[in-house]
Amino acid sequence: MTPVAERLSAIDAAIADAARRAGRDPAQITRIVVTKFHPASLVQELYDLGVREVGENRQQELSAKSEELGALAGLRWHFIGQAQTNKAAQIRRAAQAVHSVDRARIADALDRAASDDALLDVLLQINLTDDPGRGGVAPAELERLAEHVQELPTLRLRGVMAVAPLDEDPAAAFARVHGYSERLRAVAPDADWISAGMTGDFAEAVAAGATHLRIGSAITGPRPAQG
Ligand SMILES: *Cc1c(COP(=O)(O)O)cnc(C)c1O
């Protein structure tokens, strides 16, 4: 086995353990491999190992890698970084899901960028900190943003996304996210995805009901120099 294959299977075993400890079925949890800062060849290697969900946090990198690899059957790109409205068309062209919708303007731009009949899966990123400079909608604005997104015909509202703050116990942070998910489902019953949990806190996220984990370095290895 290659180092990547070994790390992938170790993480999948750890996810399955965390799920069982939480009384959950591991099959209900989608593991997205975050490939940022790594070359397209790593995405190909992961694909050959059976990975079908990959995540990127910068539009240029997302576009470049997805173009380089072309159509790989069943591969889905998740955009998880801060989205700029003037890059919405490029994001939409390359990604099948956007986890970082945090304001009406970016939702509108993604909707306008539709070029075929395929719906774009979107999640509402929630800011778990008091710092408005971090990405994410303020929790108080969640329902208002959800209702706006629901009116956009080419977007499919799927759920919530969050990053645990550095200065808070992730279990407590993800418990709050679970509550926000319930609030979202009160206005959008089908929007039941919870995208939460990274290399350092995926077990806590699984315990709190995460349906989509975004795991990078534990699988890909350390990121090359960040440009
Ligand atoms: C980089 C990144 C991840 C993955 O981080 P790791 O700690 O490497 O697992 C998850 N979510 C977002 C939004 C990221 O930018």
Side-chain angles (χ1 to χ4, degrees), residues 55-78:
E56 288 287 337
N57 74 334
R58 296 192 302 188
Q59 174 271 318
Q60 279 181 314
E61 215 181 315
L62 165 75
S63 298
K65 284 183 211 171
S66 70
E67 261 166 53
E68 185 176 339
L69 290 172
L72 291 175
L75 183 64
R76 289 171 48 83
W77 295 88
H78 297 252

Side-chain angles (χ1 to χ4, degrees), residues 34 36 57 80 161 163 198-200 214-217 223:
V34 178
K36 65 189 185 198
N57 74 334
I80 62 174
M161 179 275 218
V163 178
M198 320 189 343
T199 287
R214 309 177 310 270
I215 302 183
S217 45
R223 289 189 261 280

Side-chain angles (χ1 to χ4, degrees), residues 47-175:
Y47 183 84
D48 294 340
L49 292 168
V51 169
R52 293 294 178 269
E53 316 280 335
V54 294
E56 288 287 337
N57 74 334
R58 296 192 302 188
Q59 174 271 318
Q60 279 181 314
E61 215 181 315
L62 165 75
S63 298
K65 284 183 211 171
S66 70
E67 261 166 53
E68 185 176 339
L69 290 172
L72 291 175
L75 183 64
R76 289 171 48 83
W77 295 88
H78 297 252
F79 185 71
I80 62 174
Q82 295 237 18
Q84 290 172 274
T85 46
N86 63 346
K87 295 291 159 49
Q90 287 96 321
I91 293 169
R92 182 143 195 174
R93 200 171 306 135
Q96 287 73 48
V98 175
H99 292 226
S100 44
V101 169
D102 60 359
R103 56 201 191 280
R105 280 191 58 216
I106 188 67
D108 292 341
L110 287 167
D111 180 56
R112 275 197 306 273
S115 59
D116 57 27
D117 292 340
L119 296 178
L120 179 69
D121 286 332
V122 301
L123 295 88
L124 306 186
Q125 181 177 354
I126 300 171
N127 187 349
L128 300 181
T129 76
D130 295 328
D131 174 1
R134 308 291 300 260
V137 64
E141 303 294 320
L142 178 62
E143 286 86 355
R144 196 204 310 253
L145 181 59
E147 282 160 2
H148 183 87
V149 169
Q150 281 180 305
E151 284 168 12
L152 300 174
T154 76
L155 304 185
R156 179 162 48 184
L157 180 57
R158 285 299 208 170
V160 294
M161 179 275 218
V163 178
L166 293 173
D167 58 357
E168 184 180 359
D169 168 20
F174 294 142

